[in-house]
Amino acid sequence: MTSSIIDMGAKVWLCLVILRFMVCFYPGQMKGYIHPDQFFQTVEPLAGDIFGFDHLRTWDWNATSPGPIRNILFPYASVGASFFALKQLSTSGYIDISGYTLQAFPRLAMTAASLIADIAVYKTTKSLDLNPWNCLTILASSYATLAFHTRTFTNVFECALFALVLMLVVMSHKDDLLQNKRHFEGNTTNTKSDNNRHVGKKRKTKPKSSIEKQAVPHAAISSSPNEALVGFCLGFIVILGSFCRPTFPAFFIIPTSFWITGSVTSGDIKAVWEIFKRVAYIVPGAFMTFVVCVVMDSIYYGTLDAAILNNPTLLVQNLNLDLLHNITITPLNFIKYNIQNSNLSPHGIHPRITHFLVNVPMLFLPLFVCFLKDAVSFYKTWHDRSLENEISLITSHKLFVLMFLTPIMLLSLIPHQEPRYILPVIVPLVLLYSDSLMKPLSSIPKMYWILFNLIGCIIFGHFHQGGLVPCMEYLHKVATRPIENNPTSFHFVFFHTYMPPQHLLHLQDQILPPFANFSMEKYQHILPKQENVVTIHDLMGSDQLTMFDRVDKILSDIKTVTPKPYQKEIYVISPASLDTIFCRLNVKYNFKLINQFTHHLSMEDPPEWFPSYECVAQPDRSYSRMNFGDKFQAMLSLFVYKVEHVTYLDNAAKS
């Protein structure tokens, strides 16, 4: 019976992994745009580096003070590798570069990287005699995995590296953890029996967490890995993760500290030597990785000349303080930037309890409920003298609880708090409570876990800003349409949307900055001969007066000089929830709805459910004239309007 459940669990996990990859092969079905960082921290700048596409390189890649904060190793190892493969396939004629391939290839690379966490969790559970398939099923079925880990977030690597650190620590200390676990379970059983005899009736006991159960037969314990090798790997991972995500120390501090001090039971000189020795094991891997990352970043950002490194003579001649001033340490720049609240204000300032009260429940509500039940149960037994011995033990249960709580508390010190920052804590949570979320004697999760994650996938994976990426492919077709008479200067105005990823237009030397104010001679020199050009105006969450003013300036050629051979077209992209702004008739111009992309949900501008207003500018799109299905589709859409000049005033003046 147990063997068949394990086999079925492996099949369920495999199906979920296939689903994870299918999400990447069919980005139109999981088109949610979760956060601009999924493009602008990785994909957007690399599309410019590798393909030469017009793109937007945000401040964190080119800041002069305190300096760039993005490490280039991870983006190039994942997104860059996928783009190089796509470029080679395109050059060989096997595949075309399109909006689809520019999305699918990087997401496939990130999804493959996310499997590192699955492998590490499997190894960890096997070392602790847990049922690996329960943990892997909960991990793989979480919408945090299906929606976030299939996007190009650097948090995917942070989660994978955190799982690797945990795996190394558990495998190194598994003898101690297993012994303490059995002692913990034995003391708990004896204490409950004594308490039941005192009370005279059987008490209800809480469901055991995954760590407190022995779900599979105990296998023979192999010898622990070599300490020097584990220390080298830990040093390599903690520095690599810190360059990828400078918040990574919040995650590795507990498992690494446990590895350094876990076997120490006294405070004598021998214990001090043991700690010193393990710290020394970490240093070589950490130092080597630090040097490699700093050199790569310094060369990429132009602060260090690669010719010096290739010439030993020049390197010796420049080994002075000036050379040290020419290196770029991106995690240090990240810290300098984020310690000032004034720098974080444009990104959003949140209450310090946002992670605990909002982000953790939003991502892992059923797991968080299990943790709260566990915390209440622990509090009730805190003063029970019979539990003193077991409380003093270092058990895997306590270790994983600390690895969940500590990162949340440390990251809560930063006033800018987003859900994706805490994605890695899913690893200790599934190790703690996966069994509680599985149906008894089954490899299928309980229904409330399935429903919770299904809703999360629909909202964040499909609906959230879901019309923007398909819209970019449509705008590419608009900008590259055949030229009949004269080329066109297109102006795409994005209003109350996330930042548009310009690389999805896959244009080269055709996107001009807004309000360039070039002289005519300079403008003619920059503009490609007989090619359409594009200007992107990202108005973000500006008010409607700002939007109208921008359209006025574009139409009146104020600071947007258009050479005579070029004609001008203006398109405004906005959520359907703001359609009333565009429905009125204006004196100079009107907004004609020419396309819409479903499904699109803007949390900042939620739709008005089943509005009944009349659209004066375009009566056919009045909600009162739509049936139920059309209303629902129109409410959750991204609208594309074309600005049209009003001509009847000119005709009236002539008559």
Side-chain angles (χ1 to χ4, degrees), residues 523-537:
Y523 211 133
Q524 285 281 23
H525 175 72
I526 290 178
L527 287 173
K529 296 295 178 82
Q530 294 298 311
E531 283 190 10
N532 298 329
V533 294
V534 173
T535 300
I536 293 178
H537 306 262

Side-chain angles (χ1 to χ4, degrees), residues 121 124-125 130 135 166 210-211 400 427-434:
V121 167
T124 302
T125 55
L130 303 176
C135 295
L166 175 58
S210 300
I211 297 300
F400 294 163
V427 175
L429 283 177
V430 299
L431 290 168
L432 284 165
Y433 306 115
S434 60

Side-chain angles (χ1 to χ4, degrees), residues 142-144 353-372 404 408 417 419 422 425 429 449 452-453 456 460:
S142 170
Y143 87 86
I353 57 174
T354 301
H355 279 319
F356 270 112
L357 296 186
V358 178
N359 294 339
V360 173
M362 182 189 302
L363 292 172
F364 322 112
L365 181 59
L367 288 167
F368 188 51
V369 170
C370 292
F371 167 77
L372 294 178
F404 164 66
I408 303 294
Q417 302 183 16
I422 59 172
V425 300
L429 283 177
W449 172 258
F452 172 77
N453 289 285
F460 289 99

Side-chain angles (χ1 to χ4, degrees), residues 595-654:
N595 209 337
Q596 68 183 59
F597 297 91
T598 57
H599 299 94
H600 182 94
L601 174 63
S602 173
M603 298 294 190
E604 294 77 13
D605 302 286
E608 177 186 354
W609 295 110
F610 305 114
S612 58
Y613 64 86
E614 292 289 333
C615 186
V616 180
Q618 231 175 326
D620 290 342
R621 75 170 192 259
S622 298
Y623 281 88
S624 60
R625 304 188 181 189
M626 298 181 185
N627 57 38
F628 179 85
D630 292 339
K631 278 186 180 181
F632 184 80
Q633 188 176 27
M635 285 186 303
L636 296 170
S637 295
L638 182 70
F639 284 175
V640 180
Y641 306 90
K642 184 176 182 180
V643 177
E644 293 189 335
H645 286 273
V646 176
T647 58
Y648 66 86
L649 290 178
D650 295 334
N651 295 333
K654 291 178 181 179

Side-chain angles (χ1 to χ4, degrees), residues 174-461:
K174 63 182 177 180
D175 292 0
D176 297 330
L177 290 171
L178 281 171
Q179 182 179 359
N180 291 340
K181 172 189 162 187
R182 296 190 188 100
H183 184 80
F184 178 85
E185 292 173 347
N187 281 354
T188 303
T189 303
N190 294 334
T191 302
K192 288 178 180 178
S193 299
D194 293 339
N195 290 340
N196 289 338
R197 285 196 296 269
H198 286 300
V199 174
K201 61 180 180 179
K202 187 176 181 180
R203 289 185 180 180
K204 292 183 178 180
T205 58
K206 68 182 181 73
K208 292 182 180 179
S209 66
S210 300
I211 297 300
E212 295 168 346
K213 293 184 177 181
Q214 186 168 339
V216 294
H218 175 51
I221 300 175
S222 60
S223 59
S224 298
N226 180 272
E227 283 191 353
L229 178 60
V230 172
F232 182 89
C233 293
L234 284 176
F236 170 77
I237 293 173
V238 298
I239 297 300
L240 197 65
S242 298
F243 271 84
C244 171
R245 294 283 308 169
T247 55
F248 188 58
F251 296 96
F252 74 68
I253 184 171
I254 292 298
T256 305
S257 299
F258 175 72
W259 183 80
I260 294 173
T261 63
S263 298
V264 175
T265 57
S266 63
D268 56 13
I269 188 64
K270 184 178 180 181
V272 174
W273 170 249
E274 186 72 19
I275 293 175
F276 176 80
K277 183 177 65 173
R278 293 197 174 194
V279 172
Y281 288 152
I282 292 177
V283 171
F287 179 76
M288 180 194 72
T289 310
F290 179 83
V291 171
V292 170
C293 289
V294 168
V295 169
M296 291 181 65
D297 287 342
S298 301
I299 293 175
Y300 180 81
Y301 290 111
T303 57
L304 185 65
D305 189 355
I308 295 178
L309 300 177
N310 295 328
N311 190 325
T313 304
L314 288 176
L315 181 61
V316 173
Q317 293 174 353
N318 287 273
L319 284 178
N320 50 43
L321 293 178
D322 290 337
L323 179 62
L324 296 179
H325 292 157
N326 290 334
I327 62 176
T328 298
I329 306 177
T330 51
L332 180 61
N333 294 337
F334 179 93
I335 294 172
K336 289 179 179 178
Y337 179 85
N338 282 276
I339 59 176
Q340 300 184 24
N341 287 352
S342 58
N343 291 335
L344 297 177
S345 297
H347 307 285
I349 299 295
H350 306 102
R352 300 300 173 92
I353 57 174
T354 301
H355 279 319
F356 270 112
L357 296 186
V358 178
N359 294 339
V360 173
M362 182 189 302
L363 292 172
F364 322 112
L365 181 59
L367 288 167
F368 188 51
V369 170
C370 292
F371 167 77
L372 294 178
K373 291 180 179 179
D374 201 9
V376 170
S377 177
F378 179 77
Y379 176 77
K380 289 181 178 179
T381 59
W382 178 263
H383 298 291
D384 193 335
R385 293 182 179 273
S386 62
L387 297 179
E388 286 181 354
N389 291 331
E390 74 176 54
I391 290 174
S392 66
L393 289 171
I394 300 176
T395 64
S396 50
H397 182 276
K398 296 175 188 174
L399 179 64
F400 294 163
V401 168
L402 282 176
M403 284 193 290
F404 164 66
L405 288 177
T406 303
I408 303 294
M409 291 188 292
L410 292 176
L411 293 178
S412 294
L413 298 176
I414 304 173
H416 179 62
Q417 302 183 16
E418 296 179 16
R420 60 192 176 88
Y421 293 170
I422 59 172
L423 282 174
V425 300
I426 191 177
V427 175
L429 283 177
V430 299
L431 290 168
L432 284 165
Y433 306 115
S434 60
D435 286 351
S436 300
L437 299 178
M438 300 294 291
K439 293 181 179 180
L441 301 177
S442 172
S443 56
I444 304 298
K446 293 179 180 178
M447 185 55 63
Y448 61 82
W449 172 258
I450 296 175
L451 291 177
F452 172 77
N453 289 285
L454 182 61
I455 293 172
C457 283
I458 292 174
I459 293 177
F460 289 99

Side-chain angles (χ1 to χ4, degrees), residues 28-73:
Q29 301 304 317
M30 287 286 277
K31 56 189 177 182
Y33 183 174
I34 297 175
H35 191 277
D37 284 353
Q38 76 183 70
F39 291 109
F40 293 94
Q41 282 188 4
T42 50
V43 185
E44 182 88 353
L46 266 63
D49 291 347
I50 297 172
F51 294 107
F53 291 153
D54 295 322
H55 65 286
L56 175 62
R57 191 173 291 265
T58 52
W59 68 270
D60 42 356
W61 285 83
N62 55 21
T64 55
S65 178
I69 69 173
R70 298 300 170 199
N71 171 256
I72 60 100
L73 178 58

Side-chain angles (χ1 to χ4, degrees), residues 459-489:
I459 293 177
F460 289 99
H462 185 74
F463 279 89
H464 190 263
Q465 295 282 333
L468 188 56
V469 171
C471 177
M472 298 303 292
E473 185 64 18
Y474 167 74
L475 295 179
H476 164 77
K477 295 177 181 178
V478 171
T480 56
R481 70 189 183 196
I483 299 173
E484 297 180 356
N485 298 318
N486 295 321
T488 303
S489 174

